[in-house]
Amino acid sequence: MRIAVIGAGIIGLATADELVGRGHEVTVFDPEPANGSSLAAAGMLAHAAEMSWGQDALAPLMRASAEKYPEFVDRLSAKSARSLGHRADGTLSVGVDAADREALVALSRLQREQRLPVDQLTGTAARDLEAGLGPAVTSAVFTSEDHQIDPRLVTGALLEVLDDRVRLESVDAVTRTGERVTGIRLPSGVQIDADVVVAAAGLGTAAIDGIPALPLRPVWGDILRLRVPLALSPLLTRTVRAQVRGRSVYLVPRGDGTVVVGASVREGGVAGVHAGSVLALLRDAETVVPGIGECEIVEMLARPRPASADAVPLLGLVEEGLLVSTGFDRHGVLLAPLAAEVGADLVEGRPIDERLRSAVDPQRFADAAASRARGNADWTPPAVVDPVGAVSKGSS
């Protein structure tokens, strides 16, 4: 089949690579490949540490995708002859005050209920694992199943193996013949035929003419990259996620001597880097790891994450010939292998698990609204937030 993929973030690229591997003719369209939320992502494959109450639909997806990652890494590394920065060091979640300790106890209880390996530690035991932790740390939970990846190395490898299948062009619209989507239209007016169109342009998906309205909203995140002085290196040996008096911050060490510090979660406000968010991230990071104050800031970024109303992706066929794959919020990197496999299965018309299909069905909100409306004539569904803002039609 001829497949047109709109969007060259990690989801679009991974899906395209999966489809190529299955023998399809694939072309990816994006004017700025891997320059959206994938560029800012820290790359934590932390299905255990990021577990929280009320994620009955999301948690199984995160775990299933995490289990696919080793094979995904091995396959892509072999094809590209590149390291992807994959590390299996686990995640150390730490807390500062009594409320933080209670939150960690609740997290460990939830993890045990899911039969995940977890160790509760004192602050002293945590410092034995990570000497860079400061005296403010009083408690910790270690989850050995969590890994990390460098998203920039992953997208770079995917772009290399896809090569000239990636075109640096945006897409204005999907085109139809009768009731079926049969291709796309570029800004130049050129139309490109396709048996299936995969819309994976993050928030930009909603800006493409002809794609049905999607319940997406932008959730902005500010993220920093700091270079550790040689005298302090290595500042950390594994990912540290912290609760600092109820506020969240994470620190992810990279093999190149940098540490990623993130990430704010904000809706609205400035579209660029937010000063207050940066101040809070640095303050809390230094509370947990005092050596952060001696590091050099080499990058500050802000990107909008494409979020659905329930934090679960929108992945499915919305009409004949049109698949959407967006709404991954903070979990796009973690969910990429699962999204690629499920997306390719749907393109090919293969059956997928019904629980999975219904959990990620892009129509689930409309179906629920219709159901509620039938029971309550006065009820009206909530308006869909316009997610476009400053996000371009081709961004990912």
mmCIF file of all heavy atoms in Angstrom, residues 359-393:
data_model
loop_
_atom_site.group_PDB
_atom_site.id
_atom_site.type_symbol
_atom_site.label_atom_id
_atom_site.label_comp_id
_atom_site.label_asym_id
_atom_site.label_seq_id
_atom_site.Cartn_x
_atom_site.Cartn_y
_atom_site.Cartn_z
ATOM 1 N N ALA A 359 -9.793 1.813 24.289
ATOM 2 C CA ALA A 359 -9.080 2.767 25.156
ATOM 3 C C ALA A 359 -8.510 3.931 24.370
ATOM 4 O O ALA A 359 -8.509 5.070 24.843
ATOM 5 C CB ALA A 359 -7.967 2.052 25.906
ATOM 6 N N VAL A 360 -8.017 3.672 23.154
ATOM 7 C CA VAL A 360 -7.355 4.720 22.368
ATOM 8 C C VAL A 360 -8.222 5.245 21.230
ATOM 9 O O VAL A 360 -7.787 6.109 20.470
ATOM 10 C CB VAL A 360 -6.011 4.208 21.807
ATOM 11 C CG1 VAL A 360 -5.080 3.799 22.938
ATOM 12 C CG2 VAL A 360 -6.205 3.040 20.834
ATOM 13 N N ASP A 361 -9.437 4.753 21.119
ATOM 14 C CA ASP A 361 -10.337 5.142 20.027
ATOM 15 C C ASP A 361 -10.531 6.659 19.995
ATOM 16 O O ASP A 361 -11.002 7.253 20.970
ATOM 17 C CB ASP A 361 -11.688 4.453 20.222
ATOM 18 C CG ASP A 361 -12.648 4.704 19.059
ATOM 19 O OD1 ASP A 361 -12.269 5.421 18.112
ATOM 20 O OD2 ASP A 361 -13.777 4.189 19.122
ATOM 21 N N PRO A 362 -10.171 7.326 18.896
ATOM 22 C CA PRO A 362 -10.356 8.780 18.826
ATOM 23 C C PRO A 362 -11.806 9.215 18.952
ATOM 24 O O PRO A 362 -12.081 10.375 19.278
ATOM 25 C CB PRO A 362 -9.802 9.139 17.440
ATOM 26 C CG PRO A 362 -8.924 8.003 17.069
ATOM 27 C CD PRO A 362 -9.527 6.793 17.688
ATOM 28 N N GLN A 363 -12.733 8.314 18.699
ATOM 29 C CA GLN A 363 -14.164 8.646 18.748
ATOM 30 C C GLN A 363 -14.760 8.465 20.142
ATOM 31 O O GLN A 363 -15.962 8.681 20.318
ATOM 32 C CB GLN A 363 -14.935 7.738 17.771
ATOM 33 C CG GLN A 363 -14.342 7.664 16.376
ATOM 34 C CD GLN A 363 -14.736 8.852 15.511
ATOM 35 O OE1 GLN A 363 -15.194 9.860 16.012
ATOM 36 N NE2 GLN A 363 -14.560 8.724 14.214
ATOM 37 N N ARG A 364 -13.958 8.058 21.132
ATOM 38 C CA ARG A 364 -14.541 7.682 22.415
ATOM 39 C C ARG A 364 -15.255 8.823 23.121
ATOM 40 O O ARG A 364 -16.251 8.605 23.806
ATOM 41 C CB ARG A 364 -13.486 7.075 23.338
ATOM 42 C CG ARG A 364 -12.340 8.021 23.736
ATOM 43 C CD ARG A 364 -11.262 7.257 24.506
ATOM 44 N NE ARG A 364 -10.147 8.081 24.936
ATOM 45 C CZ ARG A 364 -9.072 8.340 24.204
ATOM 46 N NH1 ARG A 364 -8.971 7.822 22.986
ATOM 47 N NH2 ARG A 364 -8.096 9.103 24.677
ATOM 48 N N PHE A 365 -14.775 10.028 22.938
ATOM 49 C CA PHE A 365 -15.425 11.153 23.610
ATOM 50 C C PHE A 365 -16.747 11.492 22.936
ATOM 51 O O PHE A 365 -17.740 11.765 23.611
ATOM 52 C CB PHE A 365 -14.501 12.379 23.607
ATOM 53 C CG PHE A 365 -13.184 12.124 24.275
ATOM 54 C CD1 PHE A 365 -12.029 11.993 23.528
ATOM 55 C CD2 PHE A 365 -13.100 11.994 25.655
ATOM 56 C CE1 PHE A 365 -10.809 11.739 24.136
ATOM 57 C CE2 PHE A 365 -11.883 11.741 26.275
ATOM 58 C CZ PHE A 365 -10.734 11.620 25.508
ATOM 59 N N ALA A 366 -16.760 11.443 21.603
ATOM 60 C CA ALA A 366 -18.002 11.705 20.883
ATOM 61 C C ALA A 366 -19.034 10.627 21.181
ATOM 62 O O ALA A 366 -20.221 10.915 21.364
ATOM 63 C CB ALA A 366 -17.732 11.766 19.381
ATOM 64 N N ASP A 367 -18.573 9.373 21.270
ATOM 65 C CA ASP A 367 -19.497 8.287 21.574
ATOM 66 C C ASP A 367 -20.081 8.440 22.971
ATOM 67 O O ASP A 367 -21.270 8.220 23.193
ATOM 68 C CB ASP A 367 -18.776 6.938 21.452
ATOM 69 C CG ASP A 367 -18.381 6.615 20.018
ATOM 70 O OD1 ASP A 367 -18.914 7.276 19.099
ATOM 71 O OD2 ASP A 367 -17.545 5.711 19.825
ATOM 72 N N ALA A 368 -19.204 8.834 23.930
ATOM 73 C CA ALA A 368 -19.685 9.020 25.294
ATOM 74 C C ALA A 368 -20.659 10.185 25.370
ATOM 75 O O ALA A 368 -21.675 10.129 26.070
ATOM 76 C CB ALA A 368 -18.505 9.255 26.233
ATOM 77 N N ALA A 369 -20.358 11.254 24.615
ATOM 78 C CA ALA A 369 -21.245 12.410 24.617
ATOM 79 C C ALA A 369 -22.605 12.048 24.037
ATOM 80 O O ALA A 369 -23.654 12.446 24.564
ATOM 81 C CB ALA A 369 -20.610 13.558 23.822
ATOM 82 N N ALA A 370 -22.585 11.264 22.956
ATOM 83 C CA ALA A 370 -23.844 10.861 22.338
ATOM 84 C C ALA A 370 -24.657 9.995 23.287
ATOM 85 O O ALA A 370 -25.880 10.130 23.399
ATOM 86 C CB ALA A 370 -23.568 10.120 21.040
ATOM 87 N N SER A 371 -23.949 9.113 23.988
ATOM 88 C CA SER A 371 -24.643 8.238 24.937
ATOM 89 C C SER A 371 -25.279 9.042 26.059
ATOM 90 O O SER A 371 -26.434 8.817 26.441
ATOM 91 C CB SER A 371 -23.661 7.213 25.504
ATOM 92 O OG SER A 371 -24.279 6.411 26.480
ATOM 93 N N ARG A 372 -24.523 10.004 26.578
ATOM 94 C CA ARG A 372 -25.051 10.828 27.670
ATOM 95 C C ARG A 372 -26.183 11.715 27.168
ATOM 96 O O ARG A 372 -27.159 11.952 27.873
ATOM 97 C CB ARG A 372 -23.930 11.676 28.280
ATOM 98 C CG ARG A 372 -22.902 10.845 29.031
ATOM 99 C CD ARG A 372 -21.804 11.693 29.619
ATOM 100 N NE ARG A 372 -22.318 12.640 30.584
ATOM 101 C CZ ARG A 372 -21.551 13.503 31.254
ATOM 102 N NH1 ARG A 372 -20.255 13.528 31.029
ATOM 103 N NH2 ARG A 372 -22.082 14.331 32.124
ATOM 104 N N ALA A 373 -26.040 12.185 25.943
ATOM 105 C CA ALA A 373 -27.077 13.057 25.398
ATOM 106 C C ALA A 373 -28.400 12.306 25.228
ATOM 107 O O ALA A 373 -29.480 12.868 25.415
ATOM 108 C CB ALA A 373 -26.623 13.644 24.060
ATOM 109 N N ARG A 374 -28.286 11.031 24.878
ATOM 110 C CA ARG A 374 -29.513 10.246 24.741
ATOM 111 C C ARG A 374 -30.224 10.085 26.078
ATOM 112 O O ARG A 374 -31.448 10.003 26.143
ATOM 113 C CB ARG A 374 -29.175 8.867 24.155
ATOM 114 C CG ARG A 374 -28.870 8.893 22.666
ATOM 115 C CD ARG A 374 -28.877 7.486 22.087
ATOM 116 N NE ARG A 374 -27.795 6.675 22.649
ATOM 117 C CZ ARG A 374 -26.579 6.596 22.112
ATOM 118 N NH1 ARG A 374 -26.288 7.294 21.021
ATOM 119 N NH2 ARG A 374 -25.662 5.827 22.652
ATOM 120 N N GLY A 375 -29.446 10.083 27.163
ATOM 121 C CA GLY A 375 -30.056 9.933 28.476
ATOM 122 C C GLY A 375 -30.452 11.251 29.104
ATOM 123 O O GLY A 375 -31.184 11.286 30.084
ATOM 124 N N ASN A 376 -29.939 12.347 28.552
ATOM 125 C CA ASN A 376 -30.224 13.655 29.119
ATOM 126 C C ASN A 376 -30.312 14.651 27.972
ATOM 127 O O ASN A 376 -29.311 15.105 27.445
ATOM 128 C CB ASN A 376 -29.114 14.069 30.109
ATOM 129 C CG ASN A 376 -29.382 15.445 30.725
ATOM 130 O OD1 ASN A 376 -30.367 16.101 30.395
ATOM 131 N ND2 ASN A 376 -28.502 15.870 31.613
ATOM 132 N N ALA A 377 -31.505 14.990 27.607
ATOM 133 C CA ALA A 377 -31.717 15.861 26.446
ATOM 134 C C ALA A 377 -31.116 17.235 26.635
ATOM 135 O O ALA A 377 -30.846 17.941 25.675
ATOM 136 C CB ALA A 377 -33.215 15.980 26.154
ATOM 137 N N ASP A 378 -30.878 17.635 27.885
ATOM 138 C CA ASP A 378 -30.342 18.965 28.146
ATOM 139 C C ASP A 378 -28.815 18.989 28.155
ATOM 140 O O ASP A 378 -28.216 20.047 28.226
ATOM 141 C CB ASP A 378 -30.842 19.486 29.506
ATOM 142 C CG ASP A 378 -32.360 19.683 29.503
ATOM 143 O OD1 ASP A 378 -32.881 20.039 28.431
ATOM 144 O OD2 ASP A 378 -32.980 19.465 30.551
ATOM 145 N N TRP A 379 -28.213 17.801 28.103
ATOM 146 C CA TRP A 379 -26.753 17.750 28.191
ATOM 147 C C TRP A 379 -26.134 18.053 26.838
ATOM 148 O O TRP A 379 -26.597 17.580 25.797
ATOM 149 C CB TRP A 379 -26.305 16.365 28.638
ATOM 150 C CG TRP A 379 -24.822 16.270 28.866
ATOM 151 C CD1 TRP A 379 -24.145 16.563 29.995
ATOM 152 C CD2 TRP A 379 -23.851 15.840 27.915
ATOM 153 N NE1 TRP A 379 -22.820 16.349 29.820
ATOM 154 C CE2 TRP A 379 -22.594 15.904 28.547
ATOM 155 C CE3 TRP A 379 -23.916 15.405 26.581
ATOM 156 C CZ2 TRP A 379 -21.414 15.549 27.907
ATOM 157 C CZ3 TRP A 379 -22.736 15.071 25.937
ATOM 158 C CH2 TRP A 379 -21.505 15.136 26.605
ATOM 159 N N THR A 380 -25.077 18.855 26.840
ATOM 160 C CA THR A 380 -24.346 19.143 25.603
ATOM 161 C C THR A 380 -22.879 18.841 25.824
ATOM 162 O O THR A 380 -22.339 19.084 26.912
ATOM 163 C CB THR A 380 -24.494 20.624 25.184
ATOM 164 O OG1 THR A 380 -24.088 21.456 26.270
ATOM 165 C CG2 THR A 380 -25.936 20.923 24.823
ATOM 166 N N PRO A 381 -22.208 18.284 24.832
ATOM 167 C CA PRO A 381 -20.796 17.943 25.002
ATOM 168 C C PRO A 381 -19.949 19.202 25.133
ATOM 169 O O PRO A 381 -20.319 20.273 24.627
ATOM 170 C CB PRO A 381 -20.453 17.190 23.706
ATOM 171 C CG PRO A 381 -21.457 17.654 22.710
ATOM 172 C CD PRO A 381 -22.711 17.938 23.499
ATOM 173 N N PRO A 382 -18.808 19.109 25.849
ATOM 174 C CA PRO A 382 -17.933 20.267 25.993
ATOM 175 C C PRO A 382 -17.329 20.669 24.667
ATOM 176 O O PRO A 382 -17.118 19.837 23.791
ATOM 177 C CB PRO A 382 -16.853 19.765 26.963
ATOM 178 C CG PRO A 382 -16.861 18.282 26.788
ATOM 179 C CD PRO A 382 -18.286 17.914 26.487
ATOM 180 N N ALA A 383 -17.062 21.963 24.539
ATOM 181 C CA ALA A 383 -16.434 22.451 23.314
ATOM 182 C C ALA A 383 -15.016 21.923 23.210
ATOM 183 O O ALA A 383 -14.317 21.757 24.199
ATOM 184 C CB ALA A 383 -16.427 23.981 23.315
ATOM 185 N N VAL A 384 -14.576 21.645 21.993
ATOM 186 C CA VAL A 384 -13.209 21.205 21.764
ATOM 187 C C VAL A 384 -12.301 22.428 21.783
ATOM 188 O O VAL A 384 -12.548 23.420 21.098
ATOM 189 C CB VAL A 384 -13.097 20.485 20.402
ATOM 190 C CG1 VAL A 384 -11.644 20.139 20.103
ATOM 191 C CG2 VAL A 384 -13.954 19.227 20.409
ATOM 192 N N VAL A 385 -11.261 22.359 22.586
ATOM 193 C CA VAL A 385 -10.318 23.463 22.666
ATOM 194 C C VAL A 385 -9.524 23.557 21.373
ATOM 195 O O VAL A 385 -9.040 22.544 20.858
ATOM 196 C CB VAL A 385 -9.351 23.244 23.857
ATOM 197 C CG1 VAL A 385 -8.312 24.351 23.913
ATOM 198 C CG2 VAL A 385 -10.134 23.189 25.157
ATOM 199 N N ASP A 386 -9.399 24.750 20.842
ATOM 200 C CA ASP A 386 -8.592 24.940 19.641
ATOM 201 C C ASP A 386 -7.120 24.786 20.020
ATOM 202 O O ASP A 386 -6.586 25.599 20.763
ATOM 203 C CB ASP A 386 -8.832 26.337 19.069
ATOM 204 C CG ASP A 386 -7.947 26.629 17.871
ATOM 205 O OD1 ASP A 386 -7.302 25.690 17.375
ATOM 206 O OD2 ASP A 386 -7.910 27.795 17.445
ATOM 207 N N PRO A 387 -6.444 23.747 19.534
ATOM 208 C CA PRO A 387 -5.081 23.507 19.964
ATOM 209 C C PRO A 387 -4.020 24.151 19.099
ATOM 210 O O PRO A 387 -2.849 23.975 19.315
ATOM 211 C CB PRO A 387 -4.971 21.977 19.844
ATOM 212 C CG PRO A 387 -5.788 21.696 18.636
ATOM 213 C CD PRO A 387 -6.919 22.712 18.638
ATOM 214 N N VAL A 388 -4.434 24.855 18.070
ATOM 215 C CA VAL A 388 -3.474 25.211 17.036
ATOM 216 C C VAL A 388 -2.515 26.301 17.501
ATOM 217 O O VAL A 388 -1.306 26.136 17.561
ATOM 218 C CB VAL A 388 -4.196 25.642 15.745
ATOM 219 C CG1 VAL A 388 -3.171 25.992 14.702
ATOM 220 C CG2 VAL A 388 -5.112 24.542 15.261
ATOM 221 N N GLY A 389 -3.068 27.435 17.923
ATOM 222 C CA GLY A 389 -2.215 28.523 18.376
ATOM 223 C C GLY A 389 -1.127 28.814 17.374
ATOM 224 O O GLY A 389 -1.361 29.012 16.202
ATOM 225 N N ALA A 390 0.107 28.795 17.887
ATOM 226 C CA ALA A 390 1.255 29.080 17.032
ATOM 227 C C ALA A 390 1.856 27.831 16.424
ATOM 228 O O ALA A 390 2.896 27.872 15.792
ATOM 229 C CB ALA A 390 2.330 29.810 17.846
ATOM 230 N N VAL A 391 1.215 26.680 16.607
ATOM 231 C CA VAL A 391 1.769 25.439 16.087
ATOM 232 C C VAL A 391 1.482 25.341 14.599
ATOM 233 O O VAL A 391 0.355 25.450 14.162
ATOM 234 C CB VAL A 391 1.170 24.224 16.821
ATOM 235 C CG1 VAL A 391 1.802 22.948 16.310
ATOM 236 C CG2 VAL A 391 1.374 24.358 18.320
ATOM 237 N N SER A 392 2.521 25.095 13.807
ATOM 238 C CA SER A 392 2.332 25.051 12.359
ATOM 239 C C SER A 392 1.649 23.779 11.929
ATOM 240 O O SER A 392 1.606 22.798 12.658
ATOM 241 C CB SER A 392 3.704 25.155 11.656
ATOM 242 O OG SER A 392 4.420 23.970 11.829
ATOM 243 N N LYS A 393 1.127 23.763 10.732
ATOM 244 C CA LYS A 393 0.374 22.606 10.247
ATOM 245 C C LYS A 393 1.248 21.373 10.075
ATOM 246 O O LYS A 393 0.739 20.272 10.075
ATOM 247 C CB LYS A 393 -0.296 22.944 8.913
ATOM 248 C CG LYS A 393 -1.442 23.942 9.048
ATOM 249 C CD LYS A 393 -2.157 24.133 7.733
ATOM 250 C CE LYS A 393 -3.326 25.093 7.875
ATOM 251 N NZ LYS A 393 -4.055 25.259 6.632
#
